[in-house]
Amino acid sequence: MNLSSLALTPMLICARSNYDPHRDVWHILVLDAIPGQTPRWRRHNASDIPAPSARRFLRESDARAEVDQLNTAFGDAVSVLPDPARRMSLQLRSQKARQCHERLGEEEQTMLTFAVARGRKLMGERVPPVSLYPGCEGHQQEVERILQEYPYVRSMLVSGIHRKQLLKKLPDGSWVRIHLPTAQQIRGGYRAKIANGFGLDELAHFGKTKAAIRRMLAPESAAMLTQPGIQKVLADALSRGKRALVWGEFVFWYESDGTGWQVKERSGSPGSEDTEAVWHEGQIHSANFGRIVVLPYIKDNGERVRGHTKNGPHDGKSRLRQPGEELLIDFEQLDGDLMRSLAGQMLYE
């Protein structure tokens, strides 16, 4: 194969794991870059190079290990492409796809932390006795175990012979098995532990559900500024000169005019594959007091763009900073596990 034909060959540029709640297994998806087309995700199959080591994985850790190996191999293949423009474009596509997937997982874990705390507060400490319809008695212990952790759910997936089974809570508080559930109902049973914790329908469009949750979480993220553990994290960052700390969809932002720490919104949709690749070494140029922070990013052509602040489309113009008071600051990504732990402590208190 000559160099010109190599430049036009379809390539796999990124891999990620994908959970199948019905069969309780993990599959590997790969991002297929075909010249002239938008890269698309598809299932990793035996004819691919490198081929998958298994059709499915029973443990998430095994699926993640496979993903890491594939991404290393895909990165090596892209790095030797002879066309510098295509090489850079595919590297950026791969980076954006990985960041998007990681950001989405972080956000859902954060939402789950808040959902559990909210749901437990709503239900109280005591889990009511479990009542099962005839034919579901074999799931008694499993249902009780799930309700101990997520007492607020209205749907749940329980073990079956070949695949998960769906149980639904009836108005009288009893649980019944749904025979031949649809794919939407299965997804709802898996997502109920997030959606129901916020009082939302587990069968609704999950993107719209998460948008509603983000609006609910905005005041709670501001309340976190009073939590001692989080205050310690913020003080440590400030001592190192960091005035913008990113956690999921929120940015802890420090103003030296006496306002101190506040919470701004991070720009961008975590569910969009077109989200620009974050430029971690870039800085944020704040010429106004806008409530939204756009992080530094890299365009598809490789251009590196400084971050900035702005208002939303219906907020009106943001108040400008005075000449000489404009900010040019670094930002830092906060540890997601640490912040979820601190948020959980605050909510349980």
Side-chain angles (χ1 to χ4, degrees), residues 293-306:
V293 178
V294 180
L295 296 183
Y297 62 92
I298 308 174
K299 293 183 177 181
D300 281 340
N301 62 6
E303 180 185 351
R304 297 172 183 263
V305 181
R306 283 193 311 192

Side-chain angles (χ1 to χ4, degrees), residues 39-222:
R40 62 181 181 87
W41 290 102
R42 64 167 174 81
R43 183 79 65 84
H44 193 201
N45 58 55
S47 62
D48 291 328
I49 300 175
S53 62
R55 291 182 58 194
R56 61 183 67 87
F57 297 86
L58 300 180
R59 295 186 301 184
E60 183 181 8
S61 58
D62 293 337
R64 286 185 174 181
E66 178 86 352
V67 165
D68 290 342
Q69 292 182 10
L70 288 172
N71 280 329
T72 298
F74 295 159
D76 291 344
V78 171
S79 68
V80 298
L81 286 175
D83 182 351
R86 186 170 189 233
R87 182 172 64 245
M88 180 178 63
S89 175
L90 293 183
Q91 288 172 335
L92 285 173
R93 285 280 188 177
S94 175
Q95 181 184 353
K96 287 194 290 185
R98 288 197 304 271
Q99 287 183 354
C100 178
H101 183 58
E102 292 167 1
R103 185 178 168 192
L104 192 63
E106 282 277 329
E107 181 186 48
E108 291 183 4
Q109 284 297 315
T110 298
M111 289 181 173
L112 179 59
T113 297
F114 280 90
V116 170
R118 280 170 163 255
R120 286 181 174 176
K121 183 179 294 186
L122 180 66
M123 299 296 296
E125 294 297 326
R126 182 175 176 275
V127 178
V130 175
S131 174
L132 300 176
Y133 259 55
C136 301
E137 298 89 342
H139 297 294
Q140 181 82 27
Q141 292 186 348
E142 187 174 6
V143 172
E144 290 177 348
R145 178 181 56 79
I146 293 173
L147 291 178
Q148 283 291 335
E149 190 169 3
Y150 310 108
Y152 53 88
V153 295
R154 300 192 290 267
S155 296
M156 67 172 69
L157 298 177
V158 295
S159 57
I161 298 176
H162 298 295
R163 58 189 62 188
K164 291 281 190 176
Q165 298 182 13
L166 177 66
L167 299 186
K168 183 77 175 175
K169 188 176 184 180
L170 299 180
D172 64 3
S174 60
W175 291 84
V176 63
R177 177 187 169 192
I178 303 299
H179 294 275
L180 301 177
T182 64
Q184 181 189 22
Q185 289 174 316
I186 290 293
R187 289 192 295 268
Y190 177 63
R191 294 167 174 169
K193 56 190 177 184
I194 291 179
N196 293 167
F198 290 90
L200 301 174
D201 183 3
E202 70 274 18
L203 298 179
H205 185 283
F206 201 44
K208 294 180 180 179
T209 296
K210 290 194 291 185
I213 292 174
R214 290 185 201 111
R215 291 192 292 271
M216 295 181 193
L217 288 181
E220 295 195 15
S221 65

Side-chain angles (χ1 to χ4, degrees), residues 13-25:
I13 61 173
C14 186
R16 66 178 174 90
S17 58
N18 185 60
Y19 180 62
D20 179 352
H22 204 181
R23 295 171 178 80
D24 194 25
V25 296

Side-chain angles (χ1 to χ4, degrees), residues 7-39:
L8 298 176
T9 302
M11 295 191 70
L12 302 181
I13 61 173
C14 186
R16 66 178 174 90
S17 58
N18 185 60
Y19 180 62
D20 179 352
H22 204 181
R23 295 171 178 80
D24 194 25
V25 296
W26 295 84
H27 296 289
I28 304 300
L29 301 182
V30 291
L31 190 58
D32 197 354
I34 301 174
Q37 300 181 24
T38 300

